[in-house]
Amino acid sequence: MERPLNSTVISRRDYILVGALGLILGLVVIAVLFIVTPMLSPLAFLSSGFLGTPLFTIGFLLVLGLIALAEFPLMFYTLVRLARQAAPTWFQLTMHAAYTFFPAIYGALGTILTGENWWLGVMALLGVMRFFSSAVGINPPALAAHEAKKQKKQLEGQDGGQSVEASPPSVKALPTIGPDALAPADYSFFQKPVQSQVRPLSSIKGYILDMDGVLYHGERARDGAIAFAEYLNRHQIPYVCLSNNASQTRAHFGEKLERLGIPLRAERVIGAAQATAEWLAQRAPVGARILVVGEPALGEELTRVGFTLVEKAPADYVVVGVDFHLTYEKLKEATLAIRQRAVFIGTNPDLTYPSEEGIVPGNGSQLAYLQAATGKAPTLVGKPQVAMMEVALTHLGLPANQAAMVGDRLDTDIQGGKNVGMTTIFLLGGVTTMNELAASTLKPDYVMDDLAALQDELEKI
Ligand SMILES: [Mg+2]
Protein backbone atom coordinates (compact mmCIF):
# COMPACT_ATOMS: atom_id res chain seq x y z
CA MET A 1 0.00 0.00 0.00
CA GLU A 2 1.23 3.48 -0.76
CA ARG A 3 2.33 5.48 2.22
CA PRO A 4 0.08 8.52 2.89
CA LEU A 5 1.79 11.84 2.28
CA ASN A 6 1.27 13.15 5.80
CA SER A 7 2.70 10.10 7.54
CA THR A 8 5.82 10.01 9.62
CA VAL A 9 7.21 7.15 11.61
CA ILE A 10 6.16 7.46 15.25
CA SER A 11 8.78 6.87 17.91
CA ARG A 12 8.02 3.99 20.24
CA ARG A 13 8.29 6.30 23.25
CA ASP A 14 5.54 8.65 21.95
CA TYR A 15 3.38 5.67 21.12
CA ILE A 16 3.62 4.23 24.66
CA LEU A 17 3.11 7.67 26.25
CA VAL A 18 -0.14 8.23 24.35
CA GLY A 19 -1.31 4.70 25.23
CA ALA A 20 -0.52 5.38 28.90
CA LEU A 21 -2.48 8.65 28.69
CA GLY A 22 -5.52 6.75 27.39
CA LEU A 23 -5.18 4.21 30.21
CA ILE A 24 -4.81 6.89 32.92
CA LEU A 25 -7.86 8.76 31.62
CA GLY A 26 -9.81 5.51 31.63
CA LEU A 27 -8.71 4.69 35.19
CA VAL A 28 -9.72 8.20 36.32
CA VAL A 29 -13.17 7.68 34.76
CA ILE A 30 -13.42 4.27 36.46
CA ALA A 31 -12.37 5.73 39.84
CA VAL A 32 -14.96 8.53 39.58
CA LEU A 33 -17.63 6.00 38.61
CA PHE A 34 -16.58 3.80 41.51
CA ILE A 35 -17.29 6.68 43.85
CA VAL A 36 -20.51 7.99 42.29
CA THR A 37 -22.19 4.71 41.22
CA PRO A 38 -23.53 3.82 44.73
CA MET A 39 -25.21 7.22 44.77
CA LEU A 40 -26.65 6.75 41.27
CA SER A 41 -27.70 3.11 41.55
CA PRO A 42 -31.11 3.78 43.18
CA LEU A 43 -31.90 5.88 40.14
CA ALA A 44 -30.85 3.20 37.66
CA PHE A 45 -33.84 2.38 35.46
CA LEU A 46 -32.63 -1.24 35.26
CA SER A 47 -33.13 -1.70 39.00
CA SER A 48 -36.82 -2.61 38.87
CA GLY A 49 -38.81 -5.58 37.54
CA PHE A 50 -37.13 -8.19 35.36
CA LEU A 51 -34.43 -5.73 34.35
CA GLY A 52 -33.38 -5.55 37.97
CA THR A 53 -33.16 -9.32 38.55
CA PRO A 54 -29.76 -10.96 39.14
CA LEU A 55 -30.33 -13.15 36.04
CA PHE A 56 -30.59 -10.13 33.79
CA THR A 57 -27.60 -8.42 35.41
CA ILE A 58 -25.37 -11.47 34.95
CA GLY A 59 -26.61 -11.99 31.38
CA PHE A 60 -26.08 -8.32 30.45
CA LEU A 61 -22.58 -8.17 31.92
CA LEU A 62 -21.68 -11.49 30.29
CA VAL A 63 -22.63 -10.16 26.83
CA LEU A 64 -20.76 -6.88 27.50
CA GLY A 65 -17.71 -8.85 28.68
CA LEU A 66 -17.77 -11.03 25.54
CA ILE A 67 -17.95 -7.94 23.30
CA ALA A 68 -15.00 -6.41 25.20
CA LEU A 69 -12.99 -9.63 24.82
CA ALA A 70 -13.78 -10.06 21.12
CA GLU A 71 -12.94 -6.47 20.36
CA PHE A 72 -9.58 -6.71 22.20
CA PRO A 73 -7.63 -8.78 19.57
CA LEU A 74 -9.46 -7.02 16.74
CA MET A 75 -8.25 -3.60 17.92
CA PHE A 76 -4.75 -4.97 18.53
CA TYR A 77 -4.59 -6.30 14.95
CA THR A 78 -5.85 -2.94 13.60
CA LEU A 79 -3.09 -1.10 15.46
CA VAL A 80 -0.46 -3.45 14.03
CA ARG A 81 -1.77 -2.90 10.49
CA LEU A 82 -1.77 0.89 10.93
CA ALA A 83 1.83 0.79 12.17
CA ARG A 84 2.95 -1.43 9.26
CA GLN A 85 1.38 0.85 6.70
CA ALA A 86 2.81 3.89 8.48
CA ALA A 87 -0.66 5.43 8.66
CA PRO A 88 -0.84 9.14 9.56
CA THR A 89 0.65 9.82 12.97
CA TRP A 90 -2.43 11.49 14.45
CA PHE A 91 -4.58 8.53 13.46
CA GLN A 92 -2.26 5.92 14.93
CA LEU A 93 -1.91 7.82 18.22
CA THR A 94 -5.67 8.45 18.55
CA MET A 95 -6.40 4.80 17.90
CA HIS A 96 -3.85 3.70 20.49
CA ALA A 97 -5.33 6.06 23.13
CA ALA A 98 -8.82 4.76 22.31
CA TYR A 99 -7.53 1.19 22.65
CA THR A 100 -6.38 1.74 26.22
CA PHE A 101 -9.34 3.99 27.15
CA PHE A 102 -12.18 1.78 25.81
CA PRO A 103 -12.46 -0.53 28.89
CA ALA A 104 -13.56 2.54 30.89
CA ILE A 105 -16.55 2.89 28.54
CA TYR A 106 -17.47 -0.77 29.00
CA GLY A 107 -17.06 -0.22 32.75
CA ALA A 108 -19.30 2.83 32.78
CA LEU A 109 -21.94 1.15 30.65
CA GLY A 110 -22.09 -1.99 32.82
CA THR A 111 -21.94 -0.29 36.18
CA ILE A 112 -24.34 2.58 35.49
CA LEU A 113 -26.93 0.25 33.96
CA THR A 114 -26.65 -2.52 36.54
CA GLY A 115 -25.31 -0.76 39.61
CA GLU A 116 -22.58 -3.45 39.95
CA ASN A 117 -19.40 -1.76 41.19
CA TRP A 118 -17.12 -4.79 40.86
CA TRP A 119 -17.55 -4.56 37.08
CA LEU A 120 -15.42 -1.40 37.13
CA GLY A 121 -12.58 -3.40 38.70
CA VAL A 122 -12.74 -6.02 35.92
CA MET A 123 -12.64 -3.32 33.26
CA ALA A 124 -9.74 -1.51 34.99
CA LEU A 125 -7.83 -4.79 34.80
CA LEU A 126 -8.73 -5.16 31.11
CA GLY A 127 -7.46 -1.60 30.47
CA VAL A 128 -4.09 -2.38 32.05
CA MET A 129 -3.83 -5.63 30.04
CA ARG A 130 -4.52 -3.75 26.83
CA PHE A 131 -1.90 -1.15 27.62
CA PHE A 132 0.77 -3.77 28.27
CA SER A 133 -0.19 -5.77 25.20
CA SER A 134 0.36 -2.79 22.89
CA ALA A 135 3.36 -1.38 24.78
CA VAL A 136 5.15 -4.70 24.47
CA GLY A 137 3.74 -6.07 21.23
CA ILE A 138 3.58 -3.03 18.93
CA ASN A 139 6.73 -1.21 17.82
CA PRO A 140 5.64 1.23 15.06
CA PRO A 141 9.11 2.15 13.65
CA ALA A 142 10.15 -1.51 13.45
CA LEU A 143 6.84 -2.58 11.87
CA ALA A 144 6.95 0.25 9.29
CA ALA A 145 10.57 -0.58 8.39
CA HIS A 146 9.81 -4.28 8.08
CA GLU A 147 6.88 -3.61 5.79
CA ALA A 148 8.87 -1.19 3.59
CA LYS A 149 11.63 -3.82 3.23
CA LYS A 150 9.09 -6.47 2.29
CA GLN A 151 7.55 -4.25 -0.37
CA LYS A 152 10.98 -3.40 -1.81
CA LYS A 153 11.82 -7.10 -2.05
CA GLN A 154 8.54 -7.77 -3.82
CA LEU A 155 9.24 -4.97 -6.32
CA GLU A 156 12.75 -6.26 -6.97
CA GLY A 157 11.32 -9.72 -7.44
CA GLN A 158 8.94 -8.34 -10.04
CA ASP A 159 11.73 -6.49 -11.86
CA GLY A 160 13.71 -9.64 -12.21
CA GLY A 161 10.65 -11.61 -13.22
CA GLN A 162 8.13 -11.51 -15.97
CA SER A 163 6.95 -7.95 -15.52
CA VAL A 164 10.22 -6.60 -16.92
CA GLU A 165 8.99 -7.27 -20.43
CA ALA A 166 5.93 -5.11 -19.96
CA SER A 167 7.82 -2.12 -18.60
CA PRO A 168 10.30 0.09 -20.45
CA PRO A 169 13.93 -0.78 -19.85
CA SER A 170 15.54 0.93 -16.92
CA VAL A 171 18.46 3.25 -17.50
CA LYS A 172 20.61 0.74 -15.61
CA ALA A 173 19.78 -1.86 -18.22
CA LEU A 174 21.21 0.22 -21.05
CA PRO A 175 24.46 -0.98 -22.55
CA THR A 176 27.55 0.91 -21.51
CA ILE A 177 30.19 -0.47 -23.84
CA GLY A 178 30.62 -1.31 -27.46
CA PRO A 179 29.37 0.60 -30.45
CA ASP A 180 26.93 -2.12 -31.39
CA ALA A 181 25.53 -2.44 -27.89
CA LEU A 182 22.33 -0.61 -28.79
CA ALA A 183 21.62 -2.65 -31.87
CA PRO A 184 18.51 -4.78 -31.80
CA ALA A 185 19.74 -8.35 -31.44
CA ASP A 186 20.02 -9.02 -35.13
CA TYR A 187 23.45 -10.48 -35.50
CA SER A 188 22.16 -13.87 -36.50
CA PHE A 189 24.12 -13.68 -39.69
CA PHE A 190 27.40 -13.41 -37.85
CA GLN A 191 26.47 -15.69 -35.00
CA LYS A 192 26.08 -18.66 -37.31
CA PRO A 193 29.19 -20.81 -37.00
CA VAL A 194 30.17 -20.26 -40.63
CA GLN A 195 33.57 -21.70 -41.42
CA SER A 196 34.62 -19.15 -43.97
CA GLN A 197 37.75 -19.84 -45.92
CA VAL A 198 40.11 -16.91 -46.34
CA ARG A 199 40.00 -15.88 -49.96
CA PRO A 200 43.25 -15.00 -51.70
CA LEU A 201 43.81 -11.30 -52.32
CA SER A 202 43.93 -12.07 -56.04
CA SER A 203 40.19 -12.83 -55.93
CA ILE A 204 39.35 -9.35 -54.63
CA LYS A 205 37.89 -7.15 -57.37
CA GLY A 206 37.02 -4.08 -55.30
CA TYR A 207 37.52 -2.37 -51.93
CA ILE A 208 35.37 -0.69 -49.33
CA LEU A 209 37.66 1.64 -47.40
CA ASP A 210 36.96 3.00 -43.95
CA MET A 211 38.01 6.66 -43.92
CA ASP A 212 39.14 7.95 -40.51
CA GLY A 213 42.05 5.77 -39.39
CA VAL A 214 42.56 4.16 -42.82
CA LEU A 215 42.88 7.05 -45.26
CA TYR A 216 43.72 9.73 -42.72
CA HIS A 217 44.17 10.50 -39.05
CA GLY A 218 42.37 13.78 -38.31
CA GLU A 219 43.89 16.27 -40.76
CA ARG A 220 46.81 14.11 -41.91
CA ALA A 221 46.79 11.52 -44.67
CA ARG A 222 48.02 8.12 -43.47
CA ASP A 223 51.26 6.75 -44.86
CA GLY A 224 50.56 4.96 -48.11
CA ALA A 225 47.00 6.33 -48.50
CA ILE A 226 47.80 8.67 -51.41
CA ALA A 227 49.83 6.01 -53.22
CA PHE A 228 47.13 3.41 -52.70
CA ALA A 229 44.49 5.77 -54.09
CA GLU A 230 46.69 6.31 -57.15
CA TYR A 231 47.09 2.52 -57.46
CA LEU A 232 43.29 2.04 -57.45
CA ASN A 233 42.87 4.75 -60.09
CA ARG A 234 45.68 3.43 -62.23
CA HIS A 235 44.23 -0.08 -62.31
CA GLN A 236 40.62 1.13 -62.39
CA ILE A 237 39.79 -0.96 -59.35
CA PRO A 238 36.32 -0.17 -57.97
CA TYR A 239 36.23 1.33 -54.48
CA VAL A 240 33.88 2.98 -52.01
CA CYS A 241 34.91 5.12 -49.04
CA LEU A 242 32.67 4.38 -46.06
CA SER A 243 32.31 6.46 -42.88
CA ASN A 244 30.06 6.11 -39.85
CA ASN A 245 30.17 9.89 -39.49
CA ALA A 246 26.64 11.23 -40.05
CA SER A 247 27.49 14.90 -39.60
CA GLN A 248 29.00 15.33 -43.08
CA THR A 249 27.61 15.23 -46.60
CA ARG A 250 29.35 13.55 -49.51
CA ALA A 251 30.56 17.01 -50.63
CA HIS A 252 32.19 17.64 -47.24
CA PHE A 253 34.02 14.31 -47.37
CA GLY A 254 35.12 15.07 -50.94
CA GLU A 255 36.53 18.44 -49.88
CA LYS A 256 38.51 16.78 -47.12
CA LEU A 257 40.01 14.15 -49.45
CA GLU A 258 40.99 16.90 -51.86
CA ARG A 259 42.48 19.00 -49.06
CA LEU A 260 44.63 16.07 -47.92
CA GLY A 261 45.69 15.31 -51.48
CA ILE A 262 44.11 11.87 -51.56
CA PRO A 263 42.92 11.34 -55.17
CA LEU A 264 39.64 9.52 -54.41
CA ARG A 265 36.41 10.84 -55.93
CA ALA A 266 33.70 12.45 -53.80
CA GLU A 267 30.99 10.48 -55.59
CA ARG A 268 32.55 7.26 -54.26
CA VAL A 269 32.13 8.39 -50.63
CA ILE A 270 29.26 7.18 -48.45
CA GLY A 271 28.75 8.63 -44.97
CA ALA A 272 26.23 7.36 -42.42
CA ALA A 273 23.85 10.23 -43.26
CA GLN A 274 23.75 9.30 -46.94
CA ALA A 275 23.61 5.56 -46.22
CA THR A 276 20.67 6.10 -43.87
CA ALA A 277 18.86 8.25 -46.46
CA GLU A 278 19.39 5.69 -49.24
CA TRP A 279 18.50 2.73 -47.04
CA LEU A 280 15.33 4.45 -45.85
CA ALA A 281 14.41 5.50 -49.39
CA GLN A 282 14.17 1.79 -50.25
CA ARG A 283 11.64 1.26 -47.47
CA ALA A 284 9.61 4.42 -46.91
CA PRO A 285 7.30 6.22 -49.35
CA VAL A 286 8.50 9.45 -50.98
CA GLY A 287 7.32 12.41 -48.92
CA ALA A 288 7.31 10.51 -45.62
CA ARG A 289 7.62 12.90 -42.68
CA ILE A 290 10.97 12.68 -40.94
CA LEU A 291 11.92 14.33 -37.68
CA VAL A 292 15.70 14.69 -37.64
CA VAL A 293 17.98 14.98 -34.63
CA GLY A 294 21.38 15.64 -36.15
CA GLU A 295 23.63 18.00 -38.05
CA PRO A 296 22.31 19.78 -41.18
CA ALA A 297 24.11 17.19 -43.36
CA LEU A 298 21.69 14.48 -42.23
CA GLY A 299 18.66 16.59 -43.10
CA GLU A 300 20.18 17.48 -46.49
CA GLU A 301 20.74 13.82 -47.39
CA LEU A 302 17.20 12.88 -46.35
CA THR A 303 15.70 15.77 -48.32
CA ARG A 304 17.80 14.85 -51.36
CA VAL A 305 16.11 11.42 -51.59
CA GLY A 306 12.62 12.95 -51.36
CA PHE A 307 11.65 12.97 -47.70
CA THR A 308 9.86 15.83 -45.93
CA LEU A 309 11.48 17.14 -42.77
CA VAL A 310 9.32 18.09 -39.79
CA GLU A 311 10.37 19.68 -36.51
CA LYS A 312 7.53 18.43 -34.36
CA ALA A 313 5.43 15.29 -33.95
CA PRO A 314 3.60 13.71 -35.71
CA ALA A 315 6.30 12.13 -37.86
CA ASP A 316 6.61 8.81 -39.69
CA TYR A 317 10.28 8.38 -38.81
CA VAL A 318 12.66 9.84 -36.27
CA VAL A 319 16.23 9.71 -37.62
CA VAL A 320 18.99 10.39 -35.13
CA GLY A 321 22.62 11.19 -35.98
CA VAL A 322 25.29 12.89 -33.94
CA ASP A 323 24.16 16.46 -33.19
CA PHE A 324 26.73 18.98 -31.99
CA HIS A 325 23.94 21.46 -31.22
CA LEU A 326 21.70 19.05 -29.35
CA THR A 327 19.02 20.64 -27.16
CA TYR A 328 16.41 19.35 -24.74
CA GLU A 329 13.76 20.66 -27.14
CA LYS A 330 15.00 18.36 -29.94
CA LEU A 331 15.15 15.34 -27.63
CA LYS A 332 11.67 16.15 -26.35
CA GLU A 333 10.14 16.36 -29.84
CA ALA A 334 11.88 13.12 -30.84
CA THR A 335 10.58 11.40 -27.71
CA LEU A 336 7.01 12.57 -28.34
CA ALA A 337 7.15 11.43 -31.98
CA ILE A 338 8.57 7.99 -31.13
CA ARG A 339 5.95 7.58 -28.41
CA GLN A 340 3.34 8.41 -31.06
CA ARG A 341 4.63 5.44 -33.10
CA ALA A 342 7.21 7.11 -35.38
CA VAL A 343 9.85 4.53 -36.38
CA PHE A 344 13.07 5.17 -34.43
CA ILE A 345 16.23 5.01 -36.57
CA GLY A 346 19.86 5.64 -35.58
CA THR A 347 22.47 6.45 -38.23
CA ASN A 348 25.23 4.75 -36.25
CA PRO A 349 25.61 3.25 -32.79
CA ASP A 350 28.99 4.67 -31.68
CA LEU A 351 28.53 5.66 -28.03
CA THR A 352 31.60 7.91 -28.04
CA TYR A 353 34.29 9.12 -30.39
CA PRO A 354 37.78 10.49 -29.84
CA SER A 355 38.19 14.27 -30.14
CA GLU A 356 41.12 16.59 -29.51
CA GLU A 357 39.70 17.19 -26.00
CA GLY A 358 39.33 13.49 -25.20
CA ILE A 359 36.53 10.95 -25.49
CA VAL A 360 33.22 12.77 -26.07
CA PRO A 361 29.59 11.61 -26.50
CA GLY A 362 28.72 10.09 -29.86
CA ASN A 363 25.43 9.29 -31.50
CA GLY A 364 25.04 6.11 -29.42
CA SER A 365 24.77 8.26 -26.29
CA GLN A 366 21.95 10.27 -27.86
CA LEU A 367 20.22 7.03 -28.83
CA ALA A 368 20.61 5.76 -25.25
CA TYR A 369 18.88 8.92 -23.98
CA LEU A 370 15.94 8.45 -26.34
CA GLN A 371 15.80 4.73 -25.64
CA ALA A 372 15.54 5.51 -21.93
CA ALA A 373 12.79 8.07 -22.58
CA THR A 374 10.73 5.93 -24.95
CA GLY A 375 11.47 2.33 -23.97
CA LYS A 376 12.18 1.61 -27.63
CA ALA A 377 15.44 0.52 -29.23
CA PRO A 378 16.43 2.16 -32.51
CA THR A 379 16.93 0.38 -35.80
CA LEU A 380 20.54 1.02 -36.70
CA VAL A 381 22.04 1.63 -40.10
CA GLY A 382 25.78 2.39 -39.77
CA LYS A 383 28.65 -0.11 -39.66
CA PRO A 384 28.62 -2.94 -38.62
CA GLN A 385 24.96 -3.19 -39.64
CA VAL A 386 24.12 -5.12 -42.77
CA ALA A 387 22.08 -2.08 -43.91
CA MET A 388 25.14 0.16 -44.38
CA MET A 389 27.27 -2.64 -45.79
CA GLU A 390 24.63 -3.41 -48.42
CA VAL A 391 24.36 0.24 -49.44
CA ALA A 392 28.15 0.27 -49.86
CA LEU A 393 28.19 -2.97 -51.89
CA THR A 394 25.47 -1.58 -54.17
CA HIS A 395 27.64 1.45 -54.90
CA LEU A 396 30.68 -0.76 -55.35
CA GLY A 397 28.80 -2.84 -57.90
CA LEU A 398 30.30 -6.14 -56.78
CA PRO A 399 29.03 -9.13 -54.83
CA ALA A 400 30.33 -9.47 -51.24
CA ASN A 401 32.55 -12.44 -52.08
CA GLN A 402 34.54 -10.33 -54.56
CA ALA A 403 35.00 -7.36 -52.24
CA ALA A 404 37.21 -6.58 -49.25
CA MET A 405 36.44 -4.34 -46.31
CA VAL A 406 39.50 -2.39 -45.14
CA GLY A 407 39.23 -0.88 -41.66
CA ASP A 408 40.94 0.01 -38.41
CA ARG A 409 38.13 -1.00 -36.04
CA LEU A 410 37.19 -4.56 -35.25
CA ASP A 411 33.72 -3.79 -33.89
CA THR A 412 32.54 -1.70 -36.83
CA ASP A 413 34.66 -2.31 -39.96
CA ILE A 414 35.70 -5.94 -39.52
CA GLN A 415 32.40 -6.98 -37.96
CA GLY A 416 30.53 -5.16 -40.75
CA GLY A 417 32.55 -6.91 -43.45
CA LYS A 418 31.97 -10.29 -41.86
CA ASN A 419 28.26 -9.59 -41.44
CA VAL A 420 27.87 -9.61 -45.23
CA GLY A 421 30.52 -12.20 -46.06
CA MET A 422 33.27 -9.92 -47.38
CA THR A 423 36.99 -10.51 -47.05
CA THR A 424 38.26 -8.35 -44.19
CA ILE A 425 41.55 -6.49 -44.03
CA PHE A 426 42.52 -4.95 -40.74
CA LEU A 427 45.00 -2.06 -40.62
CA LEU A 428 47.07 -1.55 -37.49
CA GLY A 429 47.81 1.91 -36.11
CA GLY A 430 44.15 2.92 -35.76
CA VAL A 431 41.65 2.72 -32.93
CA THR A 432 42.15 -1.00 -32.21
CA THR A 433 45.54 -2.03 -30.84
CA MET A 434 47.48 -5.23 -31.51
CA ASN A 435 46.71 -6.42 -27.95
CA GLU A 436 42.97 -5.89 -28.45
CA LEU A 437 43.22 -7.76 -31.72
CA ALA A 438 44.95 -10.68 -29.97
CA ALA A 439 42.31 -10.73 -27.22
CA SER A 440 39.32 -10.49 -29.57
CA THR A 441 37.38 -13.50 -30.83
CA LEU A 442 36.71 -11.50 -33.97
CA LYS A 443 39.56 -12.28 -36.35
CA PRO A 444 40.05 -10.39 -39.61
CA ASP A 445 41.21 -12.34 -42.65
CA TYR A 446 44.29 -10.15 -43.13
CA VAL A 447 46.21 -7.88 -40.77
CA MET A 448 48.51 -5.24 -42.24
CA ASP A 449 50.45 -2.20 -41.08
CA ASP A 450 48.91 0.24 -43.53
CA LEU A 451 47.69 0.70 -47.10
CA ALA A 452 51.30 0.69 -48.34
CA ALA A 453 51.65 -2.86 -47.05
CA LEU A 454 48.42 -3.86 -48.77
CA GLN A 455 49.62 -2.29 -52.01
CA ASP A 456 52.92 -4.21 -51.74
CA GLU A 457 50.97 -7.46 -51.39
CA LEU A 458 48.74 -6.63 -54.35
CA GLU A 459 51.66 -5.70 -56.58
CA LYS A 460 53.21 -9.12 -55.91
CA ILE A 461 50.21 -10.85 -57.47
MG1 LIG B 1 38.14 4.11 -38.69
Side-chain angles (χ1 to χ4, degrees):
M1 181 183 282
E2 214 167 298
R3 178 176 290 199
L5 284 176
N6 58 344
S7 77
T8 49
V9 176
I10 307 163
S11 77
R12 195 170 188 196
R13 195 190 67 131
D14 290 351
Y15 195 72
I16 292 173
L17 276 176
V18 169
L21 193 70
L23 175 68
I24 291 164
L25 272 174
L27 291 177
V28 168
V29 169
I30 284 172
V32 171
L33 282 170
F34 192 79
I35 296 164
V36 302
T37 305
M39 295 182 263
L40 294 175
S41 56
L43 305 173
F45 69 95
L46 297 180
S47 59
S48 58
F50 171 74
L51 297 179
T53 60
L55 189 67
F56 174 82
T57 301
I58 290 168
F60 180 78
L61 292 179
L62 201 64
V63 170
L64 200 61
L66 283 174
I67 291 171
L69 282 177
E71 175 261 351
F72 184 0
L74 202 70
M75 273 290 273
F76 184 86
Y77 176 73
T78 304
L79 287 174
V80 170
R81 285 292 302 266
L82 291 174
R84 271 191 191 162
Q85 291 161 10
T89 307
W90 66 267
F91 191 57
Q92 283 196 66
L93 293 178
T94 307
M95 286 299 280
H96 191 213
Y99 175 70
T100 51
F101 179 77
F102 264 21
I105 295 175
Y106 293 121
L109 206 61
T111 302
I112 290 173
L113 294 181
T114 65
E116 298 293 337
N117 244 356
W118 58 268
W119 180 246
L120 288 169
V122 173
M123 287 300 115
L125 195 66
L126 185 67
V128 172
M129 278 169 63
R130 286 170 75 130
F131 171 72
F132 278 107
S133 68
S134 59
V136 174
I138 299 175
N139 183 347
L143 286 169
H146 176 78
E147 185 67 15
K149 213 167 151 186
K150 204 171 99 186
Q151 283 182 12
K152 198 177 160 209
K153 249 185 194 172
Q154 276 173 357
L155 283 173
E156 282 169 1
Q158 281 171 12
D159 283 351
Q162 294 172 340
S163 68
V164 76
E165 279 177 28
S167 57
S170 68
V171 173
K172 247 194 330 194
L174 285 170
T176 52
I177 52 163
D180 56 347
L182 278 167
D186 187 24
Y187 281 160
S188 50
F189 192 104
F190 174 67
Q191 283 161 357
K192 280 182 198 159
V194 178
Q195 291 295 323
S196 63
Q197 297 235 321
V198 175
R199 298 183 199 100
L201 286 175
S202 59
S203 69
I204 305 302
K205 302 282 183 276
Y207 294 86
I208 297 177
L209 306 167
D210 170 45
M211 300 186 79
D212 202 350
V214 169
L215 296 174
Y216 48 76
H217 276 311
E219 281 300 312
R220 188 174 56 81
R222 262 198 84 169
D223 289 345
I226 295 172
F228 187 75
E230 287 166 349
Y231 170 86
L232 293 175
N233 290 332
R234 197 163 56 242
H235 294 278
Q236 297 189 322
I237 298 170
Y239 66 88
V240 161
C241 301
L242 195 64
S243 171
N244 254 8
N245 184 338
S247 65
Q248 307 280 305
T249 60
R250 173 178 273 174
H252 291 131
F253 285 116
E255 280 165 25
K256 178 159 188 177
L257 289 172
E258 202 177 332
R259 194 165 66 240
L260 299 182
I262 301 171
L264 296 175
R265 300 199 312 276
E267 59 268 30
R268 308 302 301 164
V269 176
I270 301 166
Q274 185 190 338
T276 303
E278 290 187 13
W279 172 81
L280 195 55
Q282 301 289 319
R283 288 158 179 79
V286 174
R289 296 162 303 176
I290 303 202
L291 194 150
V292 177
V293 175
E295 287 295 294
L298 183 54
E300 282 171 35
E301 296 287 5
L302 289 162
T303 313
R304 192 174 59 78
V305 295
F307 292 121
T308 306
L309 302 190
V310 294
E311 289 188 347
K312 287 181 180 298
D316 303 306
Y317 298 86
V318 169
V319 178
V320 182
V322 71
D323 190 334
F324 303 119
H325 308 90
L326 189 66
T327 60
Y328 178 80
E329 198 63 22
K330 288 187 193 176
L331 291 165
K332 184 185 83 179
E333 292 304 330
T335 300
L336 292 171
I338 295 165
R339 283 187 167 277
Q340 287 172 27
R341 295 187 174 274
V343 178
F344 180 22
I345 293 165
T347 56
N348 61 298
D350 310 61
L351 288 171
T352 58
Y353 72 92
S355 79
E356 284 168 5
E357 296 162 278
I359 303 291
V360 295
N363 190 39
S365 299
Q366 296 176 174
L367 297 175
Y369 185 110
L370 290 170
Q371 186 172 341
T374 60
K376 287 185 186 156
T379 298
L380 295 166
V381 178
K383 292 179 287 183
Q385 301 298 317
V386 170
M388 180 118 165
M389 301 310 294
E390 284 183 342
V391 169
L393 281 170
T394 304
H395 281 260
L396 190 67
L398 288 169
N401 62 7
Q402 291 179 25
M405 174 72 214
V406 185
D408 70 324
R409 281 186 79 133
L410 287 175
D411 48 13
T412 52
D413 304 322
I414 303 306
Q415 178 77 73
K418 284 189 178 289
N419 281 350
V420 288
M422 293 169 72
T423 293
T424 52
I425 301 171
F426 177 74
L427 296 194
L428 291 165
V431 170
T432 311
T433 64
M434 195 69 184
N435 285 344
E436 284 166 348
L437 178 63
S440 174
T441 53
L442 187 60
K443 301 294 183 200
D445 297 325
Y446 295 92
V447 178
M448 303 198 184
D449 283 332
D450 51 26
L451 288 173
L454 174 59
Q455 191 179 338
D456 282 350
E457 290 297 321
L458 293 174
E459 284 178 342
K460 283 182 203 164
I461 296 166

